[in-house]
mmCIF file of all heavy atoms in Angstrom:
data_model
loop_
_atom_site.group_PDB
_atom_site.id
_atom_site.type_symbol
_atom_site.label_atom_id
_atom_site.label_comp_id
_atom_site.label_asym_id
_atom_site.label_seq_id
_atom_site.Cartn_x
_atom_site.Cartn_y
_atom_site.Cartn_z
ATOM 1 N N HIS A 72 92.490 114.632 98.080
ATOM 2 C CA HIS A 72 91.789 114.833 99.361
ATOM 3 C C HIS A 72 91.320 116.285 99.547
ATOM 4 O O HIS A 72 90.923 116.671 100.657
ATOM 5 C CB HIS A 72 92.699 114.456 100.536
ATOM 6 C CG HIS A 72 93.075 113.019 100.562
ATOM 7 N ND1 HIS A 72 92.136 112.006 100.582
ATOM 8 C CD2 HIS A 72 94.289 112.392 100.571
ATOM 9 C CE1 HIS A 72 92.769 110.825 100.602
ATOM 10 N NE2 HIS A 72 94.067 111.035 100.588
ATOM 11 N N ARG A 105 102.899 99.307 100.495
ATOM 12 C CA ARG A 105 101.683 99.591 101.267
ATOM 13 C C ARG A 105 101.549 98.586 102.410
ATOM 14 O O ARG A 105 101.102 98.927 103.499
ATOM 15 C CB ARG A 105 100.453 99.535 100.366
ATOM 16 C CG ARG A 105 100.371 100.624 99.315
ATOM 17 C CD ARG A 105 99.990 101.968 99.849
ATOM 18 N NE ARG A 105 98.644 102.016 100.389
ATOM 19 C CZ ARG A 105 98.038 103.158 100.766
ATOM 20 N NH1 ARG A 105 98.659 104.324 100.648
ATOM 21 N NH2 ARG A 105 96.828 103.131 101.259
ATOM 22 N N HIS A 135 104.310 108.077 103.914
ATOM 23 C CA HIS A 135 103.387 108.016 102.791
ATOM 24 C C HIS A 135 103.895 106.997 101.773
ATOM 25 O O HIS A 135 105.096 106.896 101.549
ATOM 26 C CB HIS A 135 103.297 109.381 102.076
ATOM 27 C CG HIS A 135 102.622 109.290 100.753
ATOM 28 N ND1 HIS A 135 101.249 109.324 100.629
ATOM 29 C CD2 HIS A 135 103.120 109.085 99.500
ATOM 30 C CE1 HIS A 135 100.939 109.168 99.341
ATOM 31 N NE2 HIS A 135 102.045 109.016 98.637
ATOM 32 N N ASP A 138 99.442 104.588 96.306
ATOM 33 C CA ASP A 138 98.448 103.517 96.477
ATOM 34 C C ASP A 138 98.112 102.763 95.189
ATOM 35 O O ASP A 138 97.212 101.929 95.183
ATOM 36 C CB ASP A 138 97.176 104.076 97.127
ATOM 37 C CG ASP A 138 96.456 105.093 96.254
ATOM 38 O OD1 ASP A 138 96.889 105.318 95.104
ATOM 39 O OD2 ASP A 138 95.461 105.670 96.736
HETATM 40 MG MG1 LIG B 262 96.913 107.801 100.118
#
Side-chain angles (χ1 to χ4, degrees):
H72 296 304
R105 293 285 295 189
H135 167 84
D138 65 4

